[in-house]
Amino acid sequence: RWNNELVSWNPQQFCGISKVAVPKQMLWHPDLAILEHIEGMDKVFLMPYVYISHDGTVEQEDGFRLVSTCKMDVYKFPFDTQRCTITFSSAIYL
Protein backbone atom coordinates (compact mmCIF):
# COMPACT_ATOMS: atom_id res chain seq x y z
CA ARG A 1 0.00 0.00 0.00
CA TRP A 2 1.31 3.46 -0.86
CA ASN A 3 -0.02 6.92 -1.60
CA ASN A 4 -0.02 8.50 -5.07
CA GLU A 5 -1.30 12.06 -4.84
CA LEU A 6 -1.64 12.26 -8.63
CA VAL A 7 -4.58 9.82 -8.70
CA SER A 8 -6.90 11.36 -6.09
CA TRP A 9 -10.42 12.66 -6.76
CA ASN A 10 -13.55 13.92 -5.02
CA PRO A 11 -16.13 11.08 -4.93
CA GLN A 12 -19.01 13.59 -4.93
CA GLN A 13 -17.98 14.73 -8.40
CA PHE A 14 -17.91 11.14 -9.74
CA CYS A 15 -21.27 9.60 -8.72
CA GLY A 16 -19.96 8.61 -5.26
CA ILE A 17 -17.26 6.32 -6.64
CA SER A 18 -14.57 6.13 -3.97
CA LYS A 19 -12.51 3.13 -5.12
CA VAL A 20 -11.61 1.67 -8.53
CA ALA A 21 -9.53 -1.20 -9.87
CA VAL A 22 -7.23 -0.54 -12.82
CA PRO A 23 -4.67 -2.71 -14.66
CA LYS A 24 -1.19 -2.60 -13.12
CA GLN A 25 0.31 -1.39 -16.37
CA MET A 26 -1.51 1.95 -15.95
CA LEU A 27 0.36 2.95 -12.76
CA TRP A 28 3.79 2.80 -11.24
CA HIS A 29 4.11 -0.02 -8.71
CA PRO A 30 7.13 -1.17 -6.70
CA ASP A 31 9.25 -4.04 -8.01
CA LEU A 32 9.91 -6.04 -4.87
CA ALA A 33 11.85 -9.25 -4.45
CA ILE A 34 12.62 -11.29 -1.33
CA LEU A 35 16.24 -12.40 -1.37
CA GLU A 36 15.81 -15.43 0.91
CA HIS A 37 13.15 -16.96 -1.35
CA ILE A 38 14.20 -20.55 -2.14
CA GLU A 39 11.21 -21.87 -4.07
CA GLY A 40 10.26 -21.14 -7.68
CA MET A 41 8.01 -18.31 -8.79
CA ASP A 42 5.31 -20.85 -9.71
CA LYS A 43 3.80 -20.32 -6.22
CA VAL A 44 3.11 -16.64 -6.86
CA PHE A 45 -0.36 -15.41 -7.74
CA LEU A 46 0.00 -12.05 -9.47
CA MET A 47 -3.15 -9.96 -9.37
CA PRO A 48 -3.49 -8.06 -12.68
CA TYR A 49 -5.07 -5.02 -11.00
CA VAL A 50 -4.26 -2.40 -8.38
CA TYR A 51 -6.96 -0.75 -6.29
CA ILE A 52 -7.06 3.04 -6.04
CA SER A 53 -9.00 4.91 -3.35
CA HIS A 54 -10.24 8.47 -3.84
CA ASP A 55 -7.60 9.81 -1.42
CA GLY A 56 -4.76 8.46 -3.61
CA THR A 57 -4.11 5.27 -1.65
CA VAL A 58 -2.98 2.51 -4.02
CA GLU A 59 -3.15 -1.15 -2.93
CA GLN A 60 -1.45 -4.06 -4.64
CA GLU A 61 -2.65 -7.47 -3.44
CA ASP A 62 -0.41 -10.10 -4.98
CA GLY A 63 -0.47 -13.52 -3.36
CA PHE A 64 2.93 -14.82 -2.43
CA ARG A 65 4.00 -17.97 -0.64
CA LEU A 66 7.43 -17.58 0.91
CA VAL A 67 9.51 -20.70 1.45
CA SER A 68 12.75 -19.96 3.21
CA THR A 69 15.23 -21.50 5.63
CA CYS A 70 16.20 -20.28 9.07
CA LYS A 71 18.95 -21.28 11.42
CA MET A 72 17.36 -23.01 14.41
CA ASP A 73 18.78 -22.53 17.89
CA VAL A 74 16.96 -24.78 20.38
CA TYR A 75 19.41 -24.38 23.24
CA LYS A 76 16.70 -23.01 25.61
CA PHE A 77 13.84 -25.18 24.34
CA PRO A 78 10.90 -24.56 24.78
CA PHE A 79 11.75 -20.97 25.75
CA ASP A 80 14.03 -20.18 22.82
CA THR A 81 13.49 -17.36 20.36
CA GLN A 82 13.94 -17.88 16.63
CA ARG A 83 14.79 -15.05 14.25
CA CYS A 84 14.56 -15.30 10.49
CA THR A 85 15.84 -12.59 8.20
CA ILE A 86 13.63 -11.51 5.31
CA THR A 87 15.33 -9.02 3.02
CA PHE A 88 13.23 -6.98 0.57
CA SER A 89 15.02 -5.61 -2.45
CA SER A 90 14.37 -4.20 -5.88
CA ALA A 91 13.81 -6.94 -8.43
CA ILE A 92 15.65 -4.90 -11.07
CA TYR A 93 18.67 -3.87 -8.97
CA LEU A 94 19.58 -7.14 -7.23
Side-chain angles (χ1 to χ4, degrees), residues 14-82:
F14 294 93
C15 303
I17 298 172
S18 61
K19 191 172 187 177
V20 295
V22 298
K24 277 186 186 177
Q25 296 83 2
M26 294 182 70
L27 288 177
W28 173 88
H29 56 279
D31 61 332
L32 294 177
I34 298 176
L35 299 183
E36 290 81 13
H37 189 241
I38 63 171
E39 196 166 289
M41 291 299 285
D42 57 335
K43 303 293 184 196
V44 177
F45 173 72
L46 298 177
M47 184 68 126
Y49 301 101
V50 292
Y51 299 98
I52 306 171
S53 296
H54 71 281
D55 61 356
T57 301
V58 181
E59 294 179 60
Q60 181 176 339
E61 298 181 357
D62 290 338
F64 193 82
R65 179 177 164 213
L66 175 65
V67 176
S68 183
T69 59
C70 294
K71 181 179 177 185
M72 300 295 286
D73 182 10
V74 291
Y75 177 72
K76 299 177 186 176
F77 182 81
F79 304 105
D80 54 324
T81 302
Q82 305 301 327

Side-chain angles (χ1 to χ4, degrees), residues 2 12-13 16 29-30 54-55 63 76 82 86-87 89:
W2 63 95
Q12 295 175 347
Q13 295 177 344
H29 56 279
H54 71 281
D55 61 356
K76 299 177 186 176
Q82 305 301 327
I86 299 176
T87 308
S89 178

